[in-house]
Amino acid sequence: MKIALVVQRYGMEINGGAEYHARLIAEHLAGHVDVEVLTTCALDYITWKNHYQHSFDFVNKIPVRRFKVLRPRDPVAFGRWQERLLRYPHIAEDEVKWLRLEGPWSPSLVRYIEKNRDNYDYFIFFSYRYYHTFHGMHVASHKALLVPTAEKDDITVFSIWPPLFARPRAIIFNSIEEREMIVGLSESAGAIPGDVVGVGSNIPERTNPAEFRKKYDIQGPFAVYVGRIDQNKGCAELFDFFQRYVADVKSGLKLVLIGSSVLPIPNHPSILHLGFLNDDDKFNAIAGAEVLLMPSQYESLSMVTLEAWALGKVVLANGRCEVLRGQCLRSNGGLFYENYDEFAEALRMLEQRDWLRRELGFNGRKFFRRNYSWDVIEKKYLSLIETLEQQQPKPPAPPIRPLWKRWGFSK
Amino acid sequence: MDQRRQQQQRRRPVNVAEIMAQIRRRIEQKKRDLKIGTEFDDLAAMKLKPLPDPQQVKSLKTPDLYGEPGGPRTGSFSMKNPEPRVQLVDPFTRPLLEFEKPNVSVEALFYSSRGGAGRFLMIIRKFTRPLLKLFLNLDAYVYEQAHVNQVLRNQTITVYERLHQQILDLRDRDDQMLRRIDYQSEWIEWMQTLRDQTAHYVKLLHGIQTNLVAELTTLAIENQNLRSRLAEMTDQLDLHGKREAIMEEQVQRIEETRTPLAQADETAALAGNDIPDAHPDRS
């Protein structure tokens, strides 16, 4: 059996989001089936400029086919077009144009899928909101599995999504909240086979928090944030809340930030920015922290949250993100906040009560092992594919006709 | 394995939904407390304005207006000693002024002294009157002069009437002004009474406010002390909890040494339900 994973970016340099999710899934499924990755040459997610030169490559022994991005994204034009669509009435073609402007615009990738769809048994498309998923699922809908990685944001109101979610043969959700949202958008998606799977993480057997403290000269208790330091990730609000908390509670807690920053970091003695760290240091930092802070409002599945739970650490998450809130409630492994008062009270409670941190961390680890260990995830993917194998195969979609045929000039 | 079982027995079940509800209840309580605190902050932040000194308030009853009691009056108005009014004369009933008297007769032109020479001259003028009338129209001259005098009289009367009317108007305004001054002086007296009362109340409120601020400060300090004591007692409680756990472990070890076979059986019976732990050093 040969499976193609279709994703917008792929590479060892990418350590987060749907791309990292896809890489982990590809590497773990490779032990059971033939896996090939179809992606673009882009690395930068803002402009999607072509970065990788080779069209065929191996990443961690996984074969990867890369296709050129026809035109990089113009962020200004894209933002203006999106604003126009969100404000004014429009037609579906405008939304298709939005996909093209959003990028990565790689028609060669879609053409490859169309021409070679018989050479693969299944295509697993990652991230519903990109050009390759929309058009790729049109040409290979009879073999398509979708991993939507959807979060509740403004563009979910577009009219092109309900037919898109009705198209694949199976949908693999990251969380129950994501499934509810997608079924709410498209009733047909509820009838399609699917499961809440998510993704695991390569957790080290042993961690060494003391080494991390010594290496980065960190003393005393600290909370940790891991991820891109960005306005969209809720980091500005986190900085504000944390500084107010330290001033109000007279706390000695420090905030350690791990990740590249696109946001100015406040010059505060309790806030330490360490930049991008390797996996060992990252896991050591999480293991040594009192609590992991997850301020993002838009998450379909926070892998860092799962990693913290895997290490038995409690999480304080943004409660306005339904996915994180639901996971905290289901796992009993973390608290959440929706405003500063809740943030301060929850963090104070976690900081001052050792037993509460210990119990929540224990519950989080139990939740991770029952739902997100690689054995469980691989089993869910394979059983879903087995279910599809037993079903009646879906007829392939007709090939895309050229424009002159669609407009009737061939007669 | 047995140690882990003990840890699991010691575990307190936690429920995130209940904890969040507890957090929200605490926030609500804190907000209710803070409402009083906010009022206190407002009071503390309120800038106290200096109270007006009643001695520095310039009274409208100044010497500029009424003069010092018993001193020379500098103002032009006085309610108590008004100026004596001039009685105006009705222009239509007054006696004629000198220039308004009727003109002399034309015959007066021929009059002369009463002596002999005068009589002689009058006789000559009487005989020559027709000749004079032939060459000079003296009547026309006299009547022309009389007409001019009449016009001047009429104009003078008109000006006099206007002046009379203006004086009457000014007297009316004078009366009105006196009435207004009476009313305003009463109003000023009433406002002075009110001002004295307000100054008294402000002094009273200022005293109450100062006492309240002092009382609230004392309460805030007491509150802070109580919180510190609460935190200290919570720490002590945690410490006692840890001590309790350690002592339980010690008791269990003692029991193990006494009945090793029974303990081994129990461990074997419970081994199937346990959850493996990848990081026993941190759990």
Side-chain angles (χ1 to χ4, degrees):
Chain A
M1 183 177 286
K2 191 173 183 182
I3 291 177
L5 271 70
V6 190
V7 65
Q8 58 271 23
R9 295 184 297 164
Y10 195 88
M12 292 301 289
E13 298 89 341
I14 303 159
N15 275 299
E19 297 90 338
Y20 183 51
H21 182 168
R23 181 156 68 83
L24 292 176
I25 295 292
E27 288 170 5
H28 281 85
L29 283 184
H32 305 277
V33 292
D34 289 340
V35 174
E36 193 172 300
V37 175
L38 308 178
T39 184
T40 67
C41 295
L43 177 64
D44 179 17
Y45 72 96
I46 294 174
T47 61
W48 306 112
K49 279 182 185 168
N50 290 315
H51 172 80
Y52 298 102
Q53 298 299 323
H54 303 290
S55 60
F56 189 81
D57 199 0
F58 283 92
V59 176
N60 271 358
K61 299 178 185 175
I62 304 292
V64 180
R65 287 185 193 276
R66 301 185 191 279
F67 299 87
K68 294 282 182 191
V69 176
L70 194 61
R71 191 184 298 163
R73 181 205 275 177
D74 178 357
V76 176
F78 168 64
R80 203 176 293 152
W81 186 254
Q82 176 169 308
E83 193 69 18
R84 182 178 163 185
L85 295 195
L86 292 175
R87 284 191 177 188
Y88 303 108
H90 56 269
I91 56 174
E93 278 72 12
D94 293 333
E95 294 171 3
V96 176
K97 182 185 172 184
W98 174 86
L99 281 170
R100 202 168 61 241
L101 288 173
E102 182 198 28
W105 184 20
S106 180
S108 55
L109 171 59
V110 178
R111 273 200 300 275
Y112 177 85
I113 294 171
E114 187 184 9
K115 285 181 183 172
N116 297 278
R117 61 189 181 185
D118 297 333
N119 298 335
Y120 298 94
D121 293 302
Y122 292 102
F123 292 88
I124 303 179
F125 291 92
F126 282 82
S127 296
Y128 78 103
R129 53 181 294 158
Y130 291 109
Y131 178 89
H132 67 272
T133 303
F134 184 82
H135 293 285
M137 275 186 28
H138 183 80
V139 298
S141 61
H142 62 298
K143 293 182 174 180
L145 282 79
L146 177 63
V147 183
T149 63
E151 63 254 6
K152 192 169 267 185
D153 56 10
D154 296 338
I155 61 145
T156 52
V157 299
F158 284 179
S159 63
I160 56 174
W161 305 134
L164 177 78
F165 291 131
R167 200 170 288 161
R169 290 194 64 189
I171 302 180
I172 299 161
F173 301 100
N174 277 337
S175 64
I176 294 171
E177 288 78 13
E178 186 189 28
R179 182 169 64 183
E180 287 173 355
M181 190 189 88
I182 288 174
V183 172
L185 288 174
S186 168
E187 286 183 10
S188 309
I192 293 174
D195 199 356
V196 178
V197 180
V199 66
S201 187
N202 295 329
I203 307 295
E205 287 294 320
R206 289 273 169 193
T207 54
N208 193 345
E211 186 187 324
F212 170 76
R213 284 180 181 277
K214 189 177 173 186
K215 186 173 179 181
Y216 295 100
D217 191 22
I218 293 172
Q219 291 163 358
F222 67 91
V224 68
Y225 167 79
V226 182
R228 196 173 67 244
I229 300 165
D230 194 347
Q231 177 91 22
N232 294 333
K233 295 283 183 184
C235 289
E237 186 186 68
L238 174 67
F239 295 154
D240 176 36
F241 284 4
F242 189 78
Q243 289 178 80
R244 285 167 65 187
Y245 171 78
V246 170
D248 289 351
V249 184
K250 307 282 185 298
S251 168
L253 191 71
K254 288 186 173 59
L255 173 60
V256 173
L257 305 169
I258 296 173
S260 54
S261 173
V262 292
L263 188 72
I265 294 167
N267 186 15
H268 192 278
S270 295
I271 298 179
L272 310 171
H273 179 217
L274 305 183
F276 184 81
L277 303 185
N278 59 36
D279 277 355
D280 290 340
D281 286 347
K282 182 184 81 170
F283 285 117
N284 286 341
I286 295 173
E290 304 293 310
V291 54
L292 177 94
L293 300 176
M294 178 43 64
S296 177
Q297 192 176 343
Y298 304 108
E299 290 289 333
S300 65
L301 178 73
S302 169
M303 293 179 65
V304 181
T305 302
L306 297 179
E307 285 167 355
W309 278 335
L311 293 172
K313 286 294 161 185
V314 62
V315 174
L316 179 58
N318 189 337
R320 280 167 290 182
C321 175
E322 288 183 8
V323 173
L324 290 174
R325 182 195 186 100
Q327 283 185 330
C328 285
L329 287 168
R330 280 194 298 279
S331 66
N332 273 327
L335 303 182
F336 48 87
Y337 62 92
E338 293 183 16
N339 50 47
Y340 170 71
D341 291 333
E342 290 181 4
F343 175 85
E345 190 63 30
L347 189 55
R348 190 188 63 77
M349 195 180 266
L350 290 175
E351 188 187 354
Q352 293 180 354
R353 298 182 184 179
D354 293 341
W355 67 268
L356 183 63
R357 284 204 309 274
R358 197 171 56 236
E359 294 303 321
L360 290 171
F362 176 80
N363 290 340
R365 181 157 42 190
K366 203 159 63 176
F367 179 73
F368 178 84
R369 286 185 184 171
R370 283 182 183 166
N371 297 286
Y372 295 102
S373 65
W374 277 116
D375 295 341
V376 176
I377 288 168
E378 287 169 14
K379 198 174 167 186
K380 282 184 179 178
Y381 266 90
L382 295 173
S383 64
L384 195 61
I385 290 170
E386 273 178 24
T387 310
L388 296 181
E389 286 288 301
Q390 290 165 7
Q391 283 182 353
Q392 192 73 16
K394 206 172 159 184
I400 297 176
R401 292 181 300 163
L403 278 179
W404 61 86
K405 284 189 180 176
R406 273 188 272 168
W407 290 345
F409 291 133
S410 61
K411 293 175 185 176
Chain B
M1 183 72 76
D2 193 48
Q3 189 179 356
R4 197 175 303 139
R5 184 181 60 80
Q6 289 168 16
Q7 285 175 356
Q8 286 184 1
Q9 283 175 351
R10 281 206 305 274
R11 285 193 192 289
R12 301 187 223 179
V14 290
N15 186 331
V16 169
E18 283 178 11
I19 294 171
M20 290 310 299
Q22 186 187 349
I23 286 173
R24 282 172 186 147
R25 278 197 301 275
R26 273 192 194 184
I27 290 168
E28 286 300 316
Q29 179 65 36
K30 201 180 277 183
K31 277 182 181 172
R32 280 198 291 274
D33 296 344
L34 273 177
K35 197 176 175 187
I36 299 168
T38 311
E39 288 171 0
F40 170 72
D41 290 341
D42 291 344
L43 275 175
M46 188 174 68
K47 194 175 180 181
L48 292 177
K49 294 178 182 174
L51 291 173
D53 184 2
Q55 301 299 324
Q56 291 181 355
V57 177
K58 195 175 180 183
S59 171
L60 287 175
K61 286 184 172 179
T62 55
D64 296 339
L65 190 60
Y66 293 115
E68 291 292 340
R73 196 180 70 232
T74 53
S76 56
F77 293 102
S78 172
M79 289 186 300
K80 294 175 183 174
N81 300 312
E83 291 284 344
R85 293 188 177 185
V86 177
Q87 288 299 320
L88 295 177
V89 182
D90 186 356
F92 301 103
T93 59
R94 66 183 169 79
L96 287 176
L97 295 176
E98 200 58 33
F99 70 90
E100 293 174 345
K101 287 179 181 175
N103 291 320
V104 294
S105 170
V106 179
E107 297 299 325
L109 288 171
F110 303 104
Y111 291 163
S112 185
S113 61
R114 290 182 183 180
R119 286 180 187 172
F120 176 74
L121 280 173
M122 281 183 67
I123 291 166
I124 294 172
R125 284 173 185 163
K126 201 171 181 177
F127 283 107
T128 59
R129 185 186 299 172
L131 192 65
L132 286 173
K133 283 190 176 177
L134 180 65
F135 291 103
L136 298 169
N137 189 1
L138 294 174
D139 291 351
Y141 173 76
V142 169
Y143 284 113
E144 187 70 21
Q145 182 59 45
H147 177 69
V148 170
N149 289 346
Q150 192 67 27
V151 170
L152 288 172
R153 175 182 173 272
N154 291 341
Q155 286 181 349
T156 307
I157 287 171
T158 307
V159 170
Y160 190 85
E161 284 171 357
R162 283 181 187 170
L163 284 171
H164 185 258
Q165 189 59 42
Q166 284 178 359
I167 289 166
L168 289 177
D169 292 345
L170 282 170
R171 283 186 176 171
D172 287 344
R173 285 185 64 189
D174 189 24
D175 292 340
Q176 286 177 7
M177 287 296 290
L178 287 172
R179 279 197 294 277
R180 282 184 66 186
I181 287 168
D182 287 342
Y183 171 75
Q184 286 185 354
S185 63
E186 284 176 12
W187 184 78
I188 286 164
E189 284 175 5
W190 180 73
M191 286 299 290
Q192 281 176 339
T193 312
L194 198 66
R195 184 197 62 192
D196 293 342
Q197 283 182 355
T198 310
H200 178 66
Y201 290 148
V202 168
K203 279 182 187 172
L204 194 64
L205 284 173
H206 191 261
I208 292 170
Q209 179 185 315
T210 310
N211 290 335
L212 275 175
V213 168
E215 196 63 31
L216 281 172
T217 310
T218 312
L219 285 172
I221 292 166
E222 284 178 9
N223 185 24
Q224 193 66 34
N225 290 338
L226 285 171
R227 284 188 180 178
S228 304
R229 284 185 61 194
L230 181 64
E232 187 185 344
M233 288 172 76
T234 310
D235 290 343
Q236 285 181 0
L237 187 65
D238 287 342
L239 183 65
H240 287 313
K242 287 175 184 171
R243 286 185 62 193
E244 183 193 356
I246 292 165
M247 290 176 77
E248 275 181 6
E249 283 177 13
Q250 287 178 351
V251 169
Q252 194 62 33
R253 279 180 195 161
I254 292 165
E255 283 181 1
E256 278 175 11
T257 52
R258 284 179 183 170
T259 57
L261 288 173
Q263 293 292 335
D265 291 342
E266 191 181 351
T267 307
L270 290 166
N273 297 329
D274 207 352
I275 294 162
D277 192 345
H279 303 282
D281 52 338
R282 285 197 308 279
S283 58

